[in-house]
Amino acid sequence: MINKIIVGIETSCDDTCVGVLRILNGKPIILANLKVNQNILHGKYGGIVPEVAARSHVSRLPHVFREALTLSKISIEDIDLICYTAEPGLLGSLLVGEKFAKGLGTRYNLPTKGINHLKAHGLSPLLEAPITPPFLSLIISGGHTELLYFENINSYEVLEKTSDDALGELFDKVGRTMGLAFPAGPLIEEMALRTQEHMPISLPSILSFSGLKTKFMHLWEQGHKMEVICNSMQMVVADMLIRTINKYAQDIPLLVGGGVAANKYIQRRLKAQIKDVYFPSMGICTDNGIMVAWCGYLEVFNLFI
Ligand code: KG4
Ligand code: ZN
């Protein structure tokens, strides 16, 4: 049985995240899952400023890393592997995580591994779901909206991809127009709970969110109520996701990851329509270091490849 301690460092965008994962007899146990967001820093600009994000990672990452080890009650010498997000993401932010991980690797003679952020989101539900490939994986986040087919852990095919904006971007941009704080996704979910009312919105013919973004911004300018816009937006995107997934095999499991996977309405709709669907727990939906450590474990040590 495999016993390891794996650290995951995630700095692809605006959250400084360090996760410590213990693999005990082949089973994952989360020892620490720390995230420091930069929402206040970027909020005044209405979106993420790459240079500000990178500088903030430089000053915060060493502290977050130290705190994660303290919380986990481990020392650097106990670590078996350090994983970091290598791509895709903001170049400056990614470099901070990579240099930090590799610096630790050199200083303490530890192996390091670069991880694909999308794949880490896509495999995150496997922390709790006892699923083996093949499976589909839907990634819905602020930067990506993609449906992947995993034949095994190390090889996947992109089946569908948004042709323009990501789903989280739709929520964040419409939210910003309506005066909601960044990131707007959780606030939109909260607002939608205040009403049953919704507007009939026709679905774009392809996986796309920029037309919807313009449509909802116009509805806001025309004076429609915020909660009705939020409710309608959640409904139409759930319809679009279900239509996209239903184009593919119905007899293999579907994993769903990424920040928008935290949305309980979307979870409910997908669970009602799709037989075998798995979401990560709440702290693992949005960017985090645990998914990076877990993906590294699956790639390096796992036996079901
Ligand atoms: O995965 P993530 O943390 O970062 C990226 O890789 O992009 O996703 C962030 C996105 C943001 O667009 C945010 O508004 C959205 O996830 N989000 C939500 C919820 N929580 C976060 N969207 C809808 N409902 C939520 N509860
Ligand atoms: Zn992400």
mmCIF file of all heavy atoms in Angstrom, residues 141-145 162 164-176 182 184 188 209-210 213 217 233 260:
data_model
loop_
_atom_site.group_PDB
_atom_site.id
_atom_site.type_symbol
_atom_site.label_atom_id
_atom_site.label_comp_id
_atom_site.label_asym_id
_atom_site.label_seq_id
_atom_site.Cartn_x
_atom_site.Cartn_y
_atom_site.Cartn_z
ATOM 1 N N SER A 141 -15.045 26.818 -14.910
ATOM 2 C CA SER A 141 -14.346 27.733 -13.999
ATOM 3 C C SER A 141 -14.374 29.145 -14.569
ATOM 4 O O SER A 141 -15.089 29.420 -15.542
ATOM 5 C CB SER A 141 -12.908 27.248 -13.797
ATOM 6 O OG SER A 141 -12.169 27.470 -14.976
ATOM 7 N N GLY A 142 -13.568 30.019 -13.956
ATOM 8 C CA GLY A 142 -13.535 31.401 -14.422
ATOM 9 C C GLY A 142 -12.767 31.550 -15.731
ATOM 10 O O GLY A 142 -12.967 32.499 -16.478
ATOM 11 N N GLY A 143 -11.881 30.590 -16.005
ATOM 12 C CA GLY A 143 -11.050 30.692 -17.204
ATOM 13 C C GLY A 143 -11.352 29.638 -18.256
ATOM 14 O O GLY A 143 -10.914 29.771 -19.400
ATOM 15 N N HIS A 144 -12.079 28.583 -17.880
ATOM 16 C CA HIS A 144 -12.265 27.447 -18.798
ATOM 17 C C HIS A 144 -13.664 26.859 -18.720
ATOM 18 O O HIS A 144 -14.278 26.861 -17.647
ATOM 19 C CB HIS A 144 -11.259 26.336 -18.472
ATOM 20 C CG HIS A 144 -9.851 26.798 -18.552
ATOM 21 N ND1 HIS A 144 -9.130 26.806 -19.709
ATOM 22 C CD2 HIS A 144 -9.046 27.330 -17.601
ATOM 23 C CE1 HIS A 144 -7.940 27.315 -19.495
ATOM 24 N NE2 HIS A 144 -7.855 27.651 -18.209
ATOM 25 N N THR A 145 -14.110 26.352 -19.851
ATOM 26 C CA THR A 145 -15.336 25.545 -19.884
ATOM 27 C C THR A 145 -15.079 24.476 -20.938
ATOM 28 O O THR A 145 -15.072 24.767 -22.138
ATOM 29 C CB THR A 145 -16.559 26.407 -20.255
ATOM 30 O OG1 THR A 145 -16.629 27.475 -19.302
ATOM 31 C CG2 THR A 145 -17.847 25.597 -20.189
ATOM 32 N N THR A 162 -15.697 25.892 -24.797
ATOM 33 C CA THR A 162 -16.427 27.120 -25.110
ATOM 34 C C THR A 162 -15.780 27.812 -26.313
ATOM 35 O O THR A 162 -14.551 27.808 -26.441
ATOM 36 C CB THR A 162 -16.483 28.083 -23.906
ATOM 37 O OG1 THR A 162 -17.117 29.289 -24.331
ATOM 38 C CG2 THR A 162 -15.111 28.414 -23.366
ATOM 39 N N ASP A 164 -15.952 30.948 -26.811
ATOM 40 C CA ASP A 164 -15.548 32.315 -26.452
ATOM 41 C C ASP A 164 -15.288 32.400 -24.952
ATOM 42 O O ASP A 164 -14.282 31.909 -24.468
ATOM 43 C CB ASP A 164 -16.600 33.336 -26.928
ATOM 44 C CG ASP A 164 -18.029 32.793 -26.785
ATOM 45 O OD1 ASP A 164 -18.396 32.480 -25.641
ATOM 46 O OD2 ASP A 164 -18.743 32.667 -27.790
ATOM 47 N N ASP A 165 -16.203 33.015 -24.194
ATOM 48 C CA ASP A 165 -15.976 33.198 -22.752
ATOM 49 C C ASP A 165 -16.153 31.890 -21.987
ATOM 50 O O ASP A 165 -16.819 30.969 -22.453
ATOM 51 C CB ASP A 165 -16.992 34.202 -22.190
ATOM 52 C CG ASP A 165 -16.779 35.595 -22.732
ATOM 53 O OD1 ASP A 165 -15.724 35.833 -23.343
ATOM 54 O OD2 ASP A 165 -17.670 36.444 -22.557
ATOM 55 N N ALA A 166 -15.582 31.860 -20.775
ATOM 56 C CA ALA A 166 -15.831 30.728 -19.876
ATOM 57 C C ALA A 166 -17.122 31.005 -19.099
ATOM 58 O O ALA A 166 -17.570 32.155 -18.992
ATOM 59 C CB ALA A 166 -14.667 30.576 -18.912
ATOM 60 N N LEU A 167 -17.682 29.937 -18.541
ATOM 61 C CA LEU A 167 -18.937 30.088 -17.791
ATOM 62 C C LEU A 167 -18.777 31.025 -16.587
ATOM 63 O O LEU A 167 -19.612 31.906 -16.344
ATOM 64 C CB LEU A 167 -19.415 28.688 -17.354
ATOM 65 C CG LEU A 167 -20.592 28.569 -16.409
ATOM 66 C CD1 LEU A 167 -21.733 29.494 -16.782
ATOM 67 C CD2 LEU A 167 -21.089 27.138 -16.393
ATOM 68 N N GLY A 168 -17.685 30.865 -15.840
ATOM 69 C CA GLY A 168 -17.463 31.734 -14.674
ATOM 70 C C GLY A 168 -17.320 33.198 -15.086
ATOM 71 O O GLY A 168 -17.705 34.113 -14.355
ATOM 72 N N GLU A 169 -16.760 33.391 -16.289
ATOM 73 C CA GLU A 169 -16.577 34.748 -16.800
ATOM 74 C C GLU A 169 -17.945 35.402 -17.057
ATOM 75 O O GLU A 169 -18.121 36.593 -16.817
ATOM 76 C CB GLU A 169 -15.821 34.616 -18.123
ATOM 77 C CG GLU A 169 -14.939 35.757 -18.474
ATOM 78 C CD GLU A 169 -14.161 35.429 -19.755
ATOM 79 O OE1 GLU A 169 -13.944 34.246 -20.084
ATOM 80 O OE2 GLU A 169 -13.802 36.398 -20.434
ATOM 81 N N LEU A 170 -18.897 34.609 -17.566
ATOM 82 C CA LEU A 170 -20.258 35.125 -17.766
ATOM 83 C C LEU A 170 -20.788 35.658 -16.427
ATOM 84 O O LEU A 170 -21.277 36.796 -16.346
ATOM 85 C CB LEU A 170 -21.165 34.006 -18.295
ATOM 86 C CG LEU A 170 -22.679 34.256 -18.207
ATOM 87 C CD1 LEU A 170 -23.130 35.277 -19.252
ATOM 88 C CD2 LEU A 170 -23.471 32.959 -18.393
ATOM 89 N N PHE A 171 -20.680 34.837 -15.377
ATOM 90 C CA PHE A 171 -21.177 35.267 -14.060
ATOM 91 C C PHE A 171 -20.427 36.511 -13.570
ATOM 92 O O PHE A 171 -21.030 37.458 -13.086
ATOM 93 C CB PHE A 171 -21.000 34.139 -13.044
ATOM 94 C CG PHE A 171 -21.981 32.996 -13.202
ATOM 95 C CD1 PHE A 171 -21.677 31.724 -12.728
ATOM 96 C CD2 PHE A 171 -23.209 33.183 -13.806
ATOM 97 C CE1 PHE A 171 -22.579 30.671 -12.859
ATOM 98 C CE2 PHE A 171 -24.122 32.133 -13.948
ATOM 99 C CZ PHE A 171 -23.804 30.875 -13.471
ATOM 100 N N ASP A 172 -19.085 36.479 -13.703
ATOM 101 C CA ASP A 172 -18.288 37.591 -13.152
ATOM 102 C C ASP A 172 -18.543 38.906 -13.905
ATOM 103 O O ASP A 172 -18.640 39.973 -13.293
ATOM 104 C CB ASP A 172 -16.790 37.242 -13.206
ATOM 105 C CG ASP A 172 -16.450 36.086 -12.275
ATOM 106 O OD1 ASP A 172 -17.215 35.834 -11.330
ATOM 107 O OD2 ASP A 172 -15.423 35.412 -12.505
ATOM 108 N N LYS A 173 -18.669 38.829 -15.237
ATOM 109 C CA LYS A 173 -18.819 40.062 -16.026
ATOM 110 C C LYS A 173 -20.235 40.635 -15.882
ATOM 111 O O LYS A 173 -20.407 41.845 -15.732
ATOM 112 C CB LYS A 173 -18.506 39.797 -17.505
ATOM 113 C CG LYS A 173 -17.068 39.339 -17.757
ATOM 114 C CD LYS A 173 -16.132 40.511 -17.930
ATOM 115 C CE LYS A 173 -14.653 40.136 -17.897
ATOM 116 N NZ LYS A 173 -14.193 39.299 -19.009
ATOM 117 N N VAL A 174 -21.256 39.764 -15.930
ATOM 118 C CA VAL A 174 -22.626 40.275 -15.750
ATOM 119 C C VAL A 174 -22.757 40.801 -14.312
ATOM 120 O O VAL A 174 -23.343 41.856 -14.067
ATOM 121 C CB VAL A 174 -23.683 39.185 -16.060
ATOM 122 C CG1 VAL A 174 -25.087 39.704 -15.781
ATOM 123 C CG2 VAL A 174 -23.573 38.733 -17.514
ATOM 124 N N GLY A 175 -22.154 40.071 -13.371
ATOM 125 C CA GLY A 175 -22.184 40.508 -11.968
ATOM 126 C C GLY A 175 -21.556 41.889 -11.808
ATOM 127 O O GLY A 175 -22.087 42.757 -11.126
ATOM 128 N N ARG A 176 -20.420 42.094 -12.480
ATOM 129 C CA ARG A 176 -19.743 43.397 -12.376
ATOM 130 C C ARG A 176 -20.646 44.504 -12.914
ATOM 131 O O ARG A 176 -20.774 45.570 -12.306
ATOM 132 C CB ARG A 176 -18.433 43.357 -13.169
ATOM 133 C CG ARG A 176 -17.637 44.648 -13.047
ATOM 134 C CD ARG A 176 -16.296 44.527 -13.704
ATOM 135 N NE ARG A 176 -16.401 44.476 -15.159
ATOM 136 C CZ ARG A 176 -15.369 44.242 -15.980
ATOM 137 N NH1 ARG A 176 -14.178 44.009 -15.476
ATOM 138 N NH2 ARG A 176 -15.538 44.226 -17.276
ATOM 139 N N PHE A 182 -16.373 41.059 -7.036
ATOM 140 C CA PHE A 182 -15.675 39.977 -7.741
ATOM 141 C C PHE A 182 -15.161 38.960 -6.716
ATOM 142 O O PHE A 182 -14.637 39.375 -5.691
ATOM 143 C CB PHE A 182 -14.503 40.573 -8.530
ATOM 144 C CG PHE A 182 -13.647 39.524 -9.183
ATOM 145 C CD1 PHE A 182 -13.999 39.007 -10.414
ATOM 146 C CD2 PHE A 182 -12.500 39.040 -8.539
ATOM 147 C CE1 PHE A 182 -13.218 38.029 -11.011
ATOM 148 C CE2 PHE A 182 -11.727 38.055 -9.136
ATOM 149 C CZ PHE A 182 -12.085 37.556 -10.373
ATOM 150 N N ALA A 184 -18.235 37.148 -8.843
ATOM 151 C CA ALA A 184 -19.679 37.312 -8.644
ATOM 152 C C ALA A 184 -20.442 35.992 -8.548
ATOM 153 O O ALA A 184 -21.590 35.986 -8.109
ATOM 154 C CB ALA A 184 -20.246 38.172 -9.774
ATOM 155 N N ILE A 188 -24.273 35.590 -7.264
ATOM 156 C CA ILE A 188 -25.355 35.320 -8.226
ATOM 157 C C ILE A 188 -26.179 34.134 -7.728
ATOM 158 O O ILE A 188 -27.415 34.142 -7.781
ATOM 159 C CB ILE A 188 -24.754 35.094 -9.634
ATOM 160 C CG1 ILE A 188 -24.339 36.455 -10.203
ATOM 161 C CG2 ILE A 188 -25.730 34.364 -10.571
ATOM 162 C CD1 ILE A 188 -23.566 36.436 -11.487
ATOM 163 N N PHE A 209 -20.691 31.532 -24.330
ATOM 164 C CA PHE A 209 -21.267 32.340 -23.250
ATOM 165 C C PHE A 209 -21.234 33.840 -23.521
ATOM 166 O O PHE A 209 -21.793 34.613 -22.756
ATOM 167 C CB PHE A 209 -20.557 32.025 -21.925
ATOM 168 C CG PHE A 209 -20.744 30.596 -21.506
ATOM 169 C CD1 PHE A 209 -19.787 29.632 -21.816
ATOM 170 C CD2 PHE A 209 -21.901 30.189 -20.860
ATOM 171 C CE1 PHE A 209 -19.977 28.298 -21.470
ATOM 172 C CE2 PHE A 209 -22.108 28.861 -20.512
ATOM 173 C CZ PHE A 209 -21.137 27.916 -20.817
ATOM 174 N N SER A 210 -20.565 34.263 -24.611
ATOM 175 C CA SER A 210 -20.424 35.711 -24.776
ATOM 176 C C SER A 210 -21.735 36.359 -25.252
ATOM 177 O O SER A 210 -22.053 37.477 -24.840
ATOM 178 C CB SER A 210 -19.243 36.038 -25.683
ATOM 179 O OG SER A 210 -19.637 36.132 -27.004
ATOM 180 N N LYS A 213 -23.779 36.758 -22.271
ATOM 181 C CA LYS A 213 -23.261 37.875 -21.458
ATOM 182 C C LYS A 213 -23.868 39.191 -21.934
ATOM 183 O O LYS A 213 -24.402 39.970 -21.131
ATOM 184 C CB LYS A 213 -21.725 37.897 -21.582
ATOM 185 C CG LYS A 213 -21.051 38.985 -20.802
ATOM 186 C CD LYS A 213 -19.549 38.917 -20.977
ATOM 187 C CE LYS A 213 -19.114 39.344 -22.372
ATOM 188 N NZ LYS A 213 -17.672 39.230 -22.605
ATOM 189 N N MET A 217 -26.563 41.560 -19.877
ATOM 190 C CA MET A 217 -26.187 42.956 -19.591
ATOM 191 C C MET A 217 -27.274 43.907 -20.096
ATOM 192 O O MET A 217 -27.632 44.879 -19.430
ATOM 193 C CB MET A 217 -24.842 43.285 -20.236
ATOM 194 C CG MET A 217 -23.659 42.694 -19.496
ATOM 195 S SD MET A 217 -22.137 43.023 -20.403
ATOM 196 C CE MET A 217 -20.904 42.430 -19.249
ATOM 197 N N MET A 233 -30.092 33.323 -15.500
ATOM 198 C CA MET A 233 -28.739 33.002 -15.966
ATOM 199 C C MET A 233 -28.350 31.590 -15.526
ATOM 200 O O MET A 233 -27.837 30.802 -16.307
ATOM 201 C CB MET A 233 -27.776 34.044 -15.370
ATOM 202 C CG MET A 233 -26.542 34.219 -16.165
ATOM 203 S SD MET A 233 -25.748 35.826 -15.930
ATOM 204 C CE MET A 233 -25.861 36.196 -14.224
ATOM 205 N N VAL A 260 -17.201 26.973 -10.673
ATOM 206 C CA VAL A 260 -18.658 27.020 -10.877
ATOM 207 C C VAL A 260 -19.322 25.707 -10.423
ATOM 208 O O VAL A 260 -20.527 25.671 -10.167
ATOM 209 C CB VAL A 260 -19.000 27.366 -12.347
ATOM 210 C CG1 VAL A 260 -20.489 27.549 -12.536
ATOM 211 C CG2 VAL A 260 -18.271 28.632 -12.796
#
